[in-house]
Amino acid sequence: MTKQTIYYTLTDEAPSLATCSLLPIVRTFTSAAGIDVQITDISLAGRVLSAFPDFLTEDQRVTDGLAFLGALTQDPNANIVKLPNISASVPQLKACIAELQSQGYKVPNFPEVAHNDAEQEIRARYSKLLGSAVNPVLREGNSDRRAPAAVKQFVRKFPHSMGKWSMASQTHADYMRGGDFYSSEQSVTVDEPTDVRIEFVGQDGAVSLKKELSLEAGEILDSMFMSAKALRQFFEDSLNDAKESNVMWSLHVKATMMKVSHPIVFGHAVTVFYKDLFEKHGELFAELGVNPNNGLSSVYESIESLPRSKREEILEDIHACYENRPEMAMVDSVKGITNLHVPSDVIVDASMPAMIRNGGKMWGPDGKAKDTKAVMPESTYSTIYQEMINFCKTNGAFDPTTMGTVPNVGLMAKKAEEYGSHDKTFEMMADGTMRVVTSDGTVLMQHNVEQGDIWRACQTKDEPVRDWVKLAVTRSRQSDTPAIFWLDRNRAHDIQLIKKVNKYLQDHDTSGLDIRIMTYVEAIRRSMERMVRGRDTISVTGNVLRDYLTDLFPIMELGTSAKMLSIVPMLKGGGMYETGAGGSAPKHVQQVEEENHLRWDSLGEFMALAVSLEEMGIKQNNPRAKILAKTLDEATGKLLENNKSPSRRTGELDNRGSHFYLGMYWAQAVVAQTEDKELAALFAPLAEAMTTNEDKIIGELAAAQGKPAELGGYYHALRTNVKKVMRPSATLNAVLAAANAQR
Amino acid sequence: MTKQTIYYTLTDEAPSLATCSLLPIVRTFTSAAGIDVQITDISLAGRVLSAFPDFLTEDQRVTDGLAFLGALTQDPNANIVKLPNISASVPQLKACIAELQSQGYKVPNFPEVAHNDAEQEIRARYSKLLGSAVNPVLREGNSDRRAPAAVKQFVRKFPHSMGKWSMASQTHADYMRGGDFYSSEQSVTVDEPTDVRIEFVGQDGAVSLKKELSLEAGEILDSMFMSAKALRQFFEDSLNDAKESNVMWSLHVKATMMKVSHPIVFGHAVTVFYKDLFEKHGELFAELGVNPNNGLSSVYESIESLPRSKREEILEDIHACYENRPEMAMVDSVKGITNLHVPSDVIVDASMPAMIRNGGKMWGPDGKAKDTKAVMPESTYSTIYQEMINFCKTNGAFDPTTMGTVPNVGLMAKKAEEYGSHDKTFEMMADGTMRVVTSDGTVLMQHNVEQGDIWRACQTKDEPVRDWVKLAVTRSRQSDTPAIFWLDRNRAHDIQLIKKVNKYLQDHDTSGLDIRIMTYVEAIRRSMERMVRGRDTISVTGNVLRDYLTDLFPIMELGTSAKMLSIVPMLKGGGMYETGAGGSAPKHVQQVEEENHLRWDSLGEFMALAVSLEEMGIKQNNPRAKILAKTLDEATGKLLENNKSPSRRTGELDNRGSHFYLGMYWAQAVVAQTEDKELAALFAPLAEAMTTNEDKIIGELAAAQGKPAELGGYYHALRTNVKKVMRPSATLNAVLAAANAQR
């Protein structure tokens, strides 16, 4: 079934628009190699629809694309190109539902609080769609991410801007020094398959079962908790310190992906910052169903139903809060949208690199860039950002034209260290003890907890670790680059991992390789010291750092993580080729709607497709696939060289024009190759037609820009509208149709 | 000759006053063990007098104490207790000369510029007295410095205050990123004895000899230069950056010890900061003999002879300079004395730790503590301060009650890395080439230089390096503490040293020891990471870092470097026991003159004497010396325990009272010991008399305080006056006399 098929995901926002323009071009090429490119819908809207067939009419129902791809990952021939998708927060999910309902899909509302079994069931179905729901299903392998040589070369020639760092910058990372997950973590490795129960023991001795788990032999299980009291005290101290030091305050969490724990953390920030407001109106807010975990926007929404005078009183009380608090970093200073408005706006792995790239500055309420206290409560990983900030203060901004690269080999397979660990994360409803108990009653780990504390467990199976070590050694050998395992010898979980790493390293010939184990801070410092001297260092990390570092370093090196090559060599033998992150995608769609200009850069897709085709060529013994891979890489190189990437400015070349150039260069490269003359001949007319019509096509594409575009939806745009918007060049469409008619 | 003799130095300022009170007590003890304590005068005034016998009357002439001690260092039985002395700057030397002249000593004036051979000869004699002139003569061994256990224990119980560090602090170290000694350093090791010439080759090809050197086999010779242009541009940029960033500007050099190079660096800072002033009045200043290397005070002094209107114009122009410059850190904000007033006020190895201990703040013109840009132009060692600043911003101030210790083993013997290298430092008078050439014409090293550049060479003999490695291994073994060689693998000189260290480490059994070689920044980071976790790490460093680190760490750990135990195990077998640094000594004398209160803490002398006596006991097989050493240590511990150290406040216990308590505790400890009953009996009357008269003596000592004291001089106080001031308790004097009469 997967033979000679590339499964190309249809996702959300800008990437899904881009797909509509790119795929017709791509298929013109792949069909010549007998390769089918199939679209699989894993968009948030698609997942909502597929989750509620019972609420839809027959013809509204859609199949579950994610389930299909999930099954496919077990196929040794699986070849999936995965584009960035939404990790939905509750507000995003609600907006998506509302949009679908407005389009006539009678999907149910999301019950914030379930009042009965029916609502409970609906809530459970929706919960599976929240946050990072797609990746854990598809990532059936570890992660191999790197900056392709062509991109690195391009950046050295055309570097992105880097904000200046002042030695006197006041910016810093602030994090808890106790009471957080880091300080409470416990970890065990079970030798044999073991069933465990996660239990809460109340102060009256009553035991309630929270979760049962079946651990495999060699599996690591961690448990840890964050004290709500300590967290709230930390927020209060941190706000006071920012006020005193006269720096802006900003909060950096990952409420979208860490969908259970981080909205709670975010909610505490909201209720501490707006302490006076919540103290005064607590009862009313409870009645209204205000949920601070959804941000201050929840207050704004909830009070809309109140009488005007009451509403104005509350708005005044909100404003009064700002008097006693430091300035807050803004998401949109014009619209007055702060860092605490909704939990999905500021996402640590994107926001911290953006700040560091911008000379340590974020945007203030007055629209000016300012130094900030960047608050990341949980200390486990925050320390690396502080180390980088100190490094930039000392050595100045990184220089993209000379710096080395830090590729990543990340532990990820079988939900290893799936740190959201949603089904094993609990907010404590009372004081008591959380414990992990085996079936024979042995208590493996336990914590005394208080009401409000956030407790969680985390699993890491043995096979992924072994595969990860192998991948690290392979990458170090293949690229002749030192590798550092980022493992903290002071951290319970990492102590278990270090044992495994030392064990599995012995399975490999590491002679002549420089492979070290260092704490996160030691590792980032060494990597940076090497980087500024133009040297490369592979970061071999757990799952969270994989996520963070593959934004952090690419954003310094390349200006974006979207230009990274991201491969998941799957445990079962297949491959998934991911394309860049969609950090700023919402802004992109807005620009399309207002000015019909799509700034999204499909470079990630070009590179992923090339690796996808190359692997297809090797595994299916398809020489044409190999030629297409090679020529696609050449075309991408030429596109970069000639600066035919999308501009951010309306009126200039956008995503669609960039796709045209990729197609033209690709066709030219196929014609120019001599390995398969028949293939060259086959593409000659296409190359000719594209080359001849370049000006005309670019003119048509440019003419489309400047006026509003009607997509018919944000989460569930109408395909006919999208097609009209994304394929506006009649000439290009005709050229492609002619080529396809030939096949 | 040295048998059973401790040579105790008479130095300057507060330490020399303290000696007058302490020695009578000490001698009461040592005489009982057949040990003579001899005073040797190495004060600045004493050295001036001994350098000019031909200008003095017969009875004014003094012997050359320094030359005497220099010879003594070659004696295997040498036992020298060395107190802190003045490293004289030119203004200090001139003040000393003026004082001697006022006392009737007809020593000649210091010729700033020599106009004839006679003046040239006088200038040459004086030049030998400038800067760090004493230590290189006496330090005929490497350095072993550590915080005694009793002191560490005392501090854990009675910690000194530490300023709070803000995470948002703007303080930072600023240093050159090129054009300095670090970036130009070249280094060679000669295999055989080699004669070399240091030559300047002018642009016309003319060669002039600057210096001839005879290198030993295995000796390392470095050469390097600092670009005057780059330095001045750095100062200008740094001033502008401070102004823009709104932080104070401060300069940290070591013009006293680095008496040739650093006054020039300091002078550039003065003429860049007051650029407009020196541009406008350049010609006049040249006529007046203004020397910016002596600070802005040189301008103030020189213009005194001008007509009032001209003087006022210049003063206005000075003030106008402040408009365009950042605020400057003040030495004395009340008196308006800035950082650039005289070159001897701010000394990097004392000023940087003081700033870091004070939460990164220095004193502003308004008397307020503020964040500062701490400028240390030469980057070689400045980076460690920036690393510590970043560490404190991230982790907060160090905690003296829990922190570990960083003892030092320093390379110092035979003027190794004598980084002042005064006789091999040259300010370039023209553009050209500086080169080091062997007698057969081989060019070992060369640099293209420009007028104004500062070029210097530096020697390190092989034997001291071998001894240093041995001392490091010995200390690591004896104290079971990891040792780090602070050596920069990117630095020319250190590359040579690393070879030797790796070679000589093989001479020792290092099994079970943790000995590493790390760059300065790596080393300080590792030492700090261990230190905050209560762990100790020996720093094994070159000469400059020895100097810097034995202030830096002690000031964090103990609040002062004066409490360090400082031993020089001499190459020839003798020992020199140094007592703490005299960083704040001038203020001490001032307080005596105004209020007859001496805050100087002789703890360093107590500890040095104990080691001196212990070594005497071992080498001379003198069991009583060993008992005196042991009981002195007990007395010191008790003194700390009972908080009988001098207070800073007039009216409270001062240096003299502290000496009394030391004597009383010491006598009590000798009486209490049972090893030598005869000795115990001998000291019973003294212990009894001191114990009985405690209140009376303390009362007499207290009564002396509060009124001005007439010392009869600063550099050359009159001994009779000093004796009167420092021994005001008739009761104590009588008790000591009675004890001595008994011996």
Side-chain angles (χ1 to χ4, degrees):
Chain A
M1 168 187 182
T2 59
K3 218 160 187 291
Q4 314 280 14
T5 302
I6 292 171
Y7 291 87
Y8 198 95
T9 59
L10 185 72
T11 59
D12 309 280
E13 300 174 325
S16 75
L17 299 179
T19 296
C20 180
S21 158
L22 181 60
L23 269 204
I25 296 173
V26 169
R27 282 175 170 148
T28 310
F29 287 79
T30 55
S31 62
I35 295 169
D36 189 16
V37 180
Q38 282 212 9
I39 279 276
T40 311
D41 185 352
I42 56 166
S43 66
L44 177 60
R47 285 181 288 132
V48 168
L49 293 177
S50 70
F52 292 95
D54 42 336
F55 285 72
L56 303 176
T57 63
E58 192 79 30
D59 61 324
Q60 284 179 331
R61 289 182 192 155
V62 299
T63 56
D64 186 341
L66 184 59
F68 169 77
L69 290 180
L72 187 67
T73 60
Q74 304 304 308
D75 184 330
N77 290 318
N79 189 314
I80 303 171
V81 175
K82 156 75 175 61
L83 276 70
N85 69 297
I86 290 178
S87 287
S89 64
V90 167
Q92 283 175 305
L93 177 60
K94 285 162 73 178
C96 176
I97 293 168
E99 181 177 317
L100 288 170
Q101 289 170 340
S102 77
Q103 291 174 339
Y105 298 90
K106 298 195 167 151
V107 290
N109 286 326
F110 174 72
E112 291 262 15
V113 182
H115 297 94
N116 52 47
D117 285 358
E119 285 186 9
Q120 184 62 46
E121 193 269 342
I122 289 167
R123 204 184 138 81
R125 281 204 248 176
Y126 273 128
S127 292
K128 285 189 189 152
L129 312 178
L130 283 170
S132 183
V134 168
N135 287 333
V137 175
L138 300 186
R139 288 177 174 170
E140 272 293 290
N142 290 307
S143 157
D144 170 10
R145 292 194 183 178
R146 50 191 193 262
V151 172
K152 206 62 188 160
Q153 207 173 331
F154 166 76
V155 165
R156 292 217 161 107
K157 224 165 141 181
F158 303 104
H160 47 280
S161 67
M162 294 291 285
K164 188 175 175 293
W165 267 92
S166 164
M167 286 175 281
S169 167
Q170 297 191 289
T171 292
H172 60 275
D174 196 4
Y175 41 85
M176 296 170 78
R177 307 297 170 134
D180 62 343
F181 292 125
Y182 182 80
S183 35
S184 65
E185 190 174 76
Q186 301 181 20
S187 184
V188 291
T189 302
V190 296
D191 292 336
E192 300 299 322
T194 308
D195 290 335
V196 300
R197 297 189 310 277
I198 297 174
E199 299 174 340
F200 174 76
V201 187
Q203 292 191 303
D204 57 359
V207 177
S208 52
L209 179 67
K210 307 292 279 187
K211 179 89 186 167
E212 287 179 299
L213 300 171
S214 290
L215 306 178
E216 296 178 1
E219 186 160 350
I220 301 171
L221 183 67
D222 317 320
S223 65
M224 64 207 88
F225 78 102
M226 176 177 271
S227 156
K229 245 184 223 164
L231 176 65
R232 294 184 67 83
Q233 188 60 51
F234 165 75
F235 278 135
E236 184 67 38
D237 292 346
S238 151
L239 287 163
N240 292 337
D241 185 65
K243 179 90 183 167
E244 225 172 84
S245 309
N246 200 24
V247 288
M248 253 182 356
W249 192 88
S250 61
L251 180 66
H252 304 258
V253 291
K254 188 151 190 172
T256 48
M257 193 188 213
M258 317 277 257
K259 63 183 175 184
V260 178
S261 59
H262 274 198
I264 303 172
V265 171
F266 185 85
H268 283 299
V270 171
T271 53
V272 173
F273 190 99
Y274 299 99
K275 193 170 55 176
D276 298 342
L277 176 77
F278 280 86
E279 268 169 21
K280 181 170 171 192
H281 301 287
E283 274 180 44
L284 173 64
F285 284 0
E287 275 171 43
L288 293 171
V290 165
N291 184 356
N293 297 4
N294 290 341
L296 193 68
S297 65
S298 172
V299 173
Y300 283 116
E301 280 165 25
S302 306
I303 63 174
E304 265 172 30
S305 56
L306 293 178
R308 181 172 169 163
S309 65
K310 189 70 191 169
R311 218 163 59 220
E312 282 177 355
E313 181 199 332
I314 291 172
L315 290 175
E316 265 172 43
D317 289 337
I318 289 176
H319 285 288
C321 287
Y322 295 114
E323 290 303 308
N324 305 315
R325 292 305 191 188
E327 276 195 326
M328 210 184 329
M330 303 302 278
V331 171
D332 187 331
S333 52
V334 176
K335 295 185 179 156
I337 306 285
T338 75
N339 219 301
L340 295 179
H341 194 70
V342 292
S344 55
D345 271 343
V346 181
I347 302 174
V348 56
D349 49 339
S351 61
M352 286 302 297
M355 183 195 87
I356 294 172
R357 188 188 157 192
N358 194 30
K361 291 179 191 298
M362 295 185 76
W363 303 101
D366 55 2
K368 287 185 183 151
K370 296 178 186 187
D371 290 348
T372 186
K373 177 190 280 288
V375 173
M376 291 163 281
E378 162 63 23
S379 67
T380 315
Y381 307 103
S382 314
T383 52
I384 66 166
Y385 294 106
Q386 174 68 356
E387 189 69 22
M388 187 176 272
I389 288 167
N390 282 337
F391 193 85
C392 289
K393 283 186 199 172
T394 302
N395 300 294
F398 295 108
D399 179 354
T401 66
T402 56
M403 71 197 289
T405 185
V406 180
N408 179 267
V409 171
L411 177 61
M412 183 175 79
K414 294 190 176 249
K415 308 192 186 179
E417 295 182 359
E418 192 52 44
Y419 57 115
S421 300
H422 318 309
D423 60 344
K424 296 178 284 292
T425 303
F426 308 98
E427 188 174 19
M428 297 294 103
M429 294 301 138
D431 294 3
T433 303
M434 282 295 290
R435 67 186 189 193
V436 178
V437 192
T438 63
S439 46
D440 67 2
T442 309
V443 176
L444 291 181
M445 302 181 271
Q446 66 177 1
H447 292 104
N448 292 327
V449 291
E450 295 179 307
Q451 191 186 343
D453 291 354
I454 308 167
W455 187 98
R456 75 178 179 203
C458 181
Q459 294 169 264
T460 307
K461 298 191 192 308
D462 186 61
E463 186 195 356
V465 177
R466 187 198 305 239
D467 179 79
W468 173 61
V469 172
K470 181 183 160 195
L471 186 57
V473 174
T474 306
R475 290 296 312 140
S476 178
R477 177 73 71 194
Q478 283 179 355
S479 57
D480 193 18
T481 302
I484 300 175
F485 281 87
W486 296 40
L487 292 170
D488 180 348
R489 58 187 166 270
N490 303 309
R491 192 186 153 195
H493 171 74
D494 286 9
I495 290 169
Q496 302 296 321
L497 262 191
I498 288 170
K499 284 185 211 160
K500 285 186 189 289
V501 168
N502 283 325
K503 181 175 152 200
Y504 292 134
L505 274 176
Q506 291 174 16
D507 297 346
H508 306 280
D509 171 18
T510 55
S511 58
L513 300 183
D514 180 354
I515 296 181
R516 307 181 187 208
I517 297 178
M518 303 176 100
T519 67
Y520 311 152
V521 165
E522 288 167 355
I524 196 168
R525 181 61 178 271
R526 182 170 159 83
S527 302
M528 290 188 298
E529 294 283 1
R530 291 176 52 85
M531 193 165 74
V532 295
R533 290 168 177 83
R535 298 187 197 125
D536 307 336
T537 316
I538 298 170
S539 60
V540 189
T541 69
N543 202 352
V544 184
L545 281 173
R546 171 200 58 74
D547 189 36
Y548 289 8
L549 297 193
T550 55
D551 274 320
L552 181 58
F553 287 112
I555 287 174
M556 303 304 145
E557 294 178 34
L558 315 175
T560 167
S561 56
K563 293 179 179 171
M564 290 290 276
L565 193 57
S566 175
I567 301 169
V568 181
M570 295 201 269
L571 293 177
K572 287 291 194 296
M576 177 162 74
Y577 312 96
E578 294 189 63
T579 87
S584 52
K587 270 190 203 160
H588 294 200
V589 179
Q590 208 180 334
Q591 195 179 8
V592 173
E593 285 171 336
E594 290 167 6
E595 310 174 348
N596 200 350
H597 177 95
L598 180 59
R599 62 165 75 167
W600 175 260
D601 190 340
S602 295
L603 181 66
E605 284 94 282
F606 307 160
M607 296 183 309
L609 258 174
V611 192
S612 155
L613 285 166
E614 191 188 9
E615 287 285 309
M616 182 71 84
I618 294 166
K619 283 187 191 152
Q620 308 288 342
N621 194 21
N622 182 339
R624 284 200 166 171
K626 288 189 204 169
I627 292 171
L628 288 181
K630 200 163 154 260
T631 49
L632 174 52
D633 266 340
E634 285 168 31
T636 306
K638 198 161 173 190
L639 179 121
L640 289 172
E641 187 80 6
N642 292 349
N643 217 353
K644 297 299 185 193
S645 298
S647 158
R648 300 171 147 254
R649 220 168 307 161
T650 299
E652 298 181 355
L653 193 78
D654 83 344
N655 178 269
R656 295 162 290 192
S658 179
H659 289 168
F660 162 74
Y661 278 109
L662 181 86
M664 184 175 88
Y665 295 145
W666 196 358
Q668 289 168 349
V670 173
V671 171
Q673 58 82 32
T674 53
E675 256 177 273
D676 183 337
K677 300 217 165 119
E678 202 182 316
L679 189 69
L682 185 63
F683 276 83
L686 177 62
E688 167 71 17
M690 290 183 107
T691 309
T692 315
N693 289 294
E694 174 182 346
D695 289 348
K696 193 171 173 203
I697 291 168
I698 291 300
E700 288 171 1
L701 292 174
Q705 292 192 39
K707 2 179 206 299
E710 187 49 67
L711 297 171
Y714 181 91
Y715 293 97
H716 194 243
L718 302 178
R719 294 316 294 169
T720 46
N721 291 34
V722 173
K723 194 172 165 188
K724 207 172 139 224
V725 170
M726 291 307 299
R727 306 190 61 194
S729 166
T731 307
L732 176 58
N733 297 347
V735 164
L736 293 175
N740 279 319
Q742 241 202 324
R743 307 279 180 272
Chain B
M1 170 185 181
T2 59
K3 217 157 188 289
Q4 315 281 13
T5 301
I6 291 172
Y7 292 88
Y8 199 95
T9 59
L10 186 71
T11 59
D12 310 281
E13 300 174 324
S16 74
L17 299 179
T19 296
C20 180
S21 158
L22 182 60
L23 269 203
I25 297 172
V26 169
R27 283 175 171 146
T28 310
F29 287 80
T30 55
S31 62
I35 296 169
D36 190 17
V37 179
Q38 283 213 8
I39 279 277
T40 311
D41 185 352
I42 57 166
S43 67
L44 177 61
R47 286 180 287 133
V48 168
L49 293 177
S50 70
F52 293 95
D54 43 335
F55 286 71
L56 302 176
T57 64
E58 191 81 29
D59 61 325
Q60 284 178 330
R61 287 180 194 159
V62 299
T63 57
D64 188 340
L66 184 58
F68 169 78
L69 291 180
L72 187 66
T73 61
Q74 303 305 307
D75 184 330
N77 290 318
N79 188 315
I80 302 170
V81 175
K82 155 77 174 60
L83 277 68
N85 69 298
I86 290 179
S87 286
S89 64
V90 168
Q92 284 174 307
L93 177 62
K94 285 163 72 178
C96 176
I97 293 167
E99 181 177 317
L100 287 169
Q101 289 170 339
S102 77
Q103 292 174 339
Y105 298 90
K106 297 194 169 153
V107 289
N109 285 327
F110 174 72
E112 291 261 16
V113 182
H115 296 94
N116 51 48
D117 286 356
E119 286 187 8
Q120 183 63 45
E121 193 267 342
I122 289 168
R123 202 184 139 82
R125 281 204 247 176
Y126 273 128
S127 291
K128 286 189 190 152
L129 311 179
L130 283 169
S132 184
V134 169
N135 287 333
V137 176
L138 300 187
R139 288 178 175 168
E140 271 295 288
N142 290 306
S143 156
D144 171 10
R145 291 194 182 178
R146 50 190 192 262
V151 173
K152 205 66 187 158
Q153 209 173 330
F154 166 76
V155 165
R156 292 217 160 107
K157 223 164 141 183
F158 302 104
H160 48 280
S161 67
M162 294 291 285
K164 187 177 175 292
W165 267 93
S166 164
M167 288 176 280
S169 168
Q170 296 192 289
T171 292
H172 60 275
D174 196 4
Y175 41 86
M176 296 171 78
R177 307 298 170 133
D180 62 345
F181 292 126
Y182 183 80
S183 36
S184 66
E185 190 174 76
Q186 300 180 21
S187 184
V188 291
T189 302
V190 296
D191 293 335
E192 301 298 324
T194 309
D195 290 335
V196 300
R197 297 189 310 276
I198 296 173
E199 299 176 339
F200 174 77
V201 187
Q203 292 191 302
D204 58 358
V207 177
S208 52
L209 179 67
K210 307 292 279 187
K211 180 89 187 166
E212 288 180 299
L213 300 171
S214 290
L215 306 178
E216 297 178 1
E219 185 160 351
I220 301 170
L221 183 68
D222 318 320
S223 66
M224 65 206 90
F225 78 102
M226 177 176 271
S227 157
K229 245 184 223 164
L231 176 66
R232 295 184 65 83
Q233 187 61 52
F234 165 75
F235 279 136
E236 184 67 39
D237 293 345
S238 152
L239 287 163
N240 292 337
D241 185 64
K243 178 91 182 165
E244 225 172 83
S245 310
N246 199 25
V247 289
M248 252 181 359
W249 192 87
S250 60
L251 179 66
H252 304 258
V253 292
K254 188 150 190 172
T256 48
M257 192 189 216
M258 316 277 258
K259 63 183 176 185
V260 178
S261 58
H262 274 198
I264 303 172
V265 171
F266 185 86
H268 283 299
V270 171
T271 53
V272 173
F273 190 100
Y274 299 98
K275 193 171 55 176
D276 297 343
L277 175 78
F278 280 85
E279 268 169 20
K280 182 170 171 194
H281 302 286
E283 275 180 43
L284 172 64
F285 285 180
E287 276 171 42
L288 293 172
V290 166
N291 184 355
N293 298 3
N294 291 341
L296 193 68
S297 65
S298 172
V299 173
Y300 283 115
E301 282 166 24
S302 306
I303 64 174
E304 265 173 27
S305 57
L306 294 178
R308 181 174 170 161
S309 65
K310 189 70 191 168
R311 218 164 59 221
E312 281 176 357
E313 181 199 332
I314 291 172
L315 290 175
E316 263 172 44
D317 289 337
I318 289 176
H319 286 288
C321 288
Y322 294 114
E323 289 303 307
N324 306 314
R325 291 305 191 189
E327 275 194 328
M328 209 183 329
M330 303 302 278
V331 171
D332 186 331
S333 51
V334 176
K335 295 185 180 158
I337 307 283
T338 74
N339 218 303
L340 295 179
H341 195 70
V342 293
S344 54
D345 271 343
V346 181
I347 302 175
V348 56
D349 49 341
S351 61
M352 285 303 296
M355 183 194 87
I356 294 171
R357 188 188 156 191
N358 194 30
K361 291 181 190 297
M362 293 186 76
W363 303 102
D366 53 3
K368 287 186 182 148
K370 297 178 185 187
D371 290 348
T372 185
K373 176 189 280 288
V375 173
M376 291 161 281
E378 163 62 22
S379 66
T380 314
Y381 307 104
S382 315
T383 52
I384 65 166
Y385 294 106
Q386 173 69 356
E387 189 70 21
M388 186 175 272
I389 289 168
N390 281 338
F391 193 85
C392 290
K393 284 185 199 173
T394 302
N395 301 295
F398 295 108
D399 179 354
T401 66
T402 56
M403 71 198 288
T405 185
V406 180
N408 180 267
V409 170
L411 177 61
M412 183 174 80
K414 293 188 176 253
K415 307 190 188 181
E417 295 182 356
E418 193 52 46
Y419 57 118
S421 299
H422 318 308
D423 60 344
K424 297 178 283 292
T425 303
F426 308 98
E427 188 174 19
M428 298 294 103
M429 295 300 139
D431 295 1
T433 303
M434 282 295 290
R435 66 185 189 193
V436 179
V437 192
T438 63
S439 45
D440 68 2
T442 309
V443 176
L444 291 181
M445 301 180 272
Q446 67 177 1
H447 292 104
N448 292 327
V449 290
E450 295 180 308
Q451 191 187 342
D453 292 353
I454 308 166
W455 187 98
R456 75 178 179 205
C458 180
Q459 294 169 263
T460 307
K461 298 191 192 307
D462 186 61
E463 187 195 355
V465 177
R466 188 197 304 238
D467 179 79
W468 173 60
V469 172
K470 181 182 158 195
L471 186 57
V473 174
T474 307
R475 291 297 311 141
S476 178
R477 176 74 69 195
Q478 283 178 355
S479 57
D480 192 18
T481 302
I484 301 174
F485 280 88
W486 295 40
L487 293 170
D488 180 349
R489 57 187 168 270
N490 304 307
R491 191 185 152 196
H493 170 75
D494 286 9
I495 290 168
Q496 302 297 321
L497 261 191
I498 288 171
K499 283 185 211 159
K500 285 187 189 287
V501 169
N502 283 325
K503 182 175 151 201
Y504 292 134
L505 274 176
Q506 291 173 17
D507 295 346
H508 305 282
D509 171 18
T510 55
S511 58
L513 300 182
D514 180 355
I515 297 181
R516 307 179 187 211
I517 298 178
M518 303 176 101
T519 66
Y520 311 153
V521 166
E522 289 166 355
I524 196 169
R525 181 62 177 270
R526 183 170 158 82
S527 302
M528 290 188 297
E529 295 281 3
R530 290 177 52 84
M531 193 164 74
V532 294
R533 290 169 177 81
R535 299 188 197 124
D536 308 336
T537 317
I538 298 170
S539 61
V540 188
T541 69
N543 203 353
V544 184
L545 281 173
R546 171 200 58 74
D547 189 36
Y548 289 7
L549 297 194
T550 56
D551 274 319
L552 181 58
F553 287 112
I555 286 174
M556 303 304 144
E557 293 178 34
L558 314 175
T560 168
S561 57
K563 294 180 179 170
M564 290 292 276
L565 193 57
S566 175
I567 301 169
V568 182
M570 294 203 269
L571 293 177
K572 286 291 192 294
M576 178 163 72
Y577 312 96
E578 293 189 64
T579 88
S584 52
K587 269 190 204 161
H588 294 201
V589 179
Q590 208 180 333
Q591 195 179 7
V592 173
E593 286 170 335
E594 290 168 5
E595 310 173 350
N596 200 350
H597 177 95
L598 180 58
R599 62 165 74 168
W600 175 257
D601 189 341
S602 294
L603 181 65
E605 285 93 281
F606 306 159
M607 296 184 309
L609 258 174
V611 192
S612 156
L613 284 166
E614 190 188 10
E615 287 285 310
M616 182 71 84
I618 294 166
K619 284 186 191 153
Q620 308 288 343
N621 195 19
N622 182 340
R624 284 200 165 170
K626 286 189 205 169
I627 292 171
L628 288 180
K630 202 163 152 258
T631 49
L632 175 52
D633 265 341
E634 285 168 31
T636 306
K638 198 160 173 191
L639 180 121
L640 288 172
E641 186 81 6
N642 291 348
N643 218 352
K644 298 300 186 191
S645 297
S647 158
R648 299 171 148 256
R649 221 168 305 161
T650 299
E652 299 181 355
L653 193 77
D654 84 342
N655 178 269
R656 296 164 289 193
S658 180
H659 290 168
F660 162 73
Y661 279 108
L662 182 85
M664 183 175 88
Y665 295 146
W666 195 359
Q668 289 168 349
V670 173
V671 170
Q673 59 82 33
T674 52
E675 256 178 274
D676 184 337
K677 299 216 167 118
E678 200 181 318
L679 190 69
L682 186 61
F683 276 82
L686 178 62
E688 167 71 16
M690 291 183 108
T691 309
T692 313
N693 289 294
E694 174 182 347
D695 290 347
K696 192 170 174 204
I697 292 168
I698 291 301
E700 288 171 2
L701 292 173
Q705 293 194 38
K707 5 182 203 300
E710 187 50 67
L711 297 172
Y714 182 91
Y715 294 96
H716 194 243
L718 301 179
R719 294 317 293 169
T720 46
N721 291 34
V722 172
K723 194 172 165 190
K724 207 172 137 224
V725 170
M726 290 307 299
R727 303 191 62 192
S729 166
T731 307
L732 176 58
N733 297 348
V735 164
L736 294 175
N740 279 319
Q742 241 202 323
R743 305 279 180 272

